[in-house]
């Protein structure tokens, strides 16, 4: 009963959550546009025929090699500014279970995506000021 009540209360907020995250993703994309092609933002699909995206993560692709910085160093510099980032997700073919079961595989597309991806903060209580700070500090690393 408690779990059902919690689920119902959360479902009442889902439209607000989706709308908020959509607006944050659009704002991130516009503020990062000048960093293209070194930082590629996620594509927002045309709503015609696709439906809405429930943005769970804001993952960008960063050309760390051209920037001459490792992803780990990039993440540490953001963490020094109190910005937590994550890497989503380690390719399935490189997980120990699948390596053991199917042997080592080289999936260049999956590896290329993994080596460039970084998830930046995205949450429903995030303010425009929070987002602007993340963008400002990220751009600072690019300079």
């Amino acid at each position: 009963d408690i779990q059902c009540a919690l689920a119902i209360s959360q479902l009442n907020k889902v439209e607000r959550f989706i709308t908020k995250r959509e607006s944050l993703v659009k704002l991130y994309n516009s503020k990062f546009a000048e960093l293209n092609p070194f930082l590629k933002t996620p594509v927002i699909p045309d709503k015609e025929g696709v439906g809405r995206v429930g943005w769970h993560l804001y993952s960008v692709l960063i050309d760390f090699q051209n920037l001459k910085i490792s992803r780990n160093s990039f993440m540490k510099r953001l963490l020094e500014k109190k910005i937590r980032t994550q890497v989503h997700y380690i390719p399935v073919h490189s997980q120990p279970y699948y390596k053991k079961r199917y042997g080592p595989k080289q999936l260049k597309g999956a590896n290329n995506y993994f080596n460039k991806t970084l998830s930046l903060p995205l949450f429903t209580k995030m303010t425009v000021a929070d987002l602007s700070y993340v963008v400002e500090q990220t751009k600072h690393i690019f300079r």
Side-chain angles (χ1 to χ4, degrees):
D1 290 342
I2 292 173
Q3 290 177 335
C4 289
L6 179 60
I8 290 169
S9 74
Q10 292 300 305
L11 285 173
N12 289 332
K13 300 175 187 177
V14 77
E15 181 60 35
R16 188 172 71 233
F17 291 166
I18 291 171
T19 300
K20 174 69 183 259
R21 287 173 180 259
E22 280 176 336
S23 68
L24 292 170
V25 167
K26 287 177 186 174
L27 185 57
Y28 258 138
N29 281 4
S30 68
K31 288 181 174 277
F32 280 139
E34 69 188 65
L35 297 179
N36 195 10
F38 299 105
L39 183 148
K40 293 183 181 179
T41 59
V43 174
I44 300 172
D46 180 7
K47 288 185 183 180
E48 289 297 318
V50 175
R52 293 174 78 187
V53 174
W55 294 98
H56 167 61
L57 302 171
Y58 185 76
S59 296
V60 295
L61 297 177
I62 299 175
D63 190 345
F64 297 107
Q65 189 172 11
N66 269 337
L67 289 173
K68 298 184 182 2
I69 187 172
S70 70
R71 178 174 54 198
N72 193 40
S73 295
F74 197 94
M75 293 172 73
K76 283 181 181 179
R77 289 191 53 191
L78 288 175
L79 186 57
E80 288 169 2
K81 301 295 182 179
K82 308 290 188 230
I83 299 169
R84 298 192 184 280
T85 58
Q86 293 184 345
V87 177
H88 292 98
Y89 291 96
I90 298 170
V92 171
H93 73 278
S94 65
Q95 300 286 343
Y97 170 82
Y98 292 97
K99 279 179 155 176
K100 183 178 177 184
R101 182 163 175 101
Y102 300 107
K105 302 286 182 199
Q106 284 301 316
L107 301 177
K108 290 181 183 177
N111 290 335
N112 187 43
Y113 180 87
F114 173 70
N115 290 329
K116 292 182 176 182
T117 191
L118 185 65
S119 294
L120 298 175
L122 180 69
F123 51 96
T124 54
K125 296 202 184 242
M126 187 175 208
T127 65
V128 171
D130 294 333
L131 184 142
S132 296
Y133 179 74
V134 172
V135 170
E136 175 187 319
Q137 296 306 317
T138 301
K139 286 181 176 180
H140 184 70
I141 297 171
F142 276 75
R143 294 184 192 122

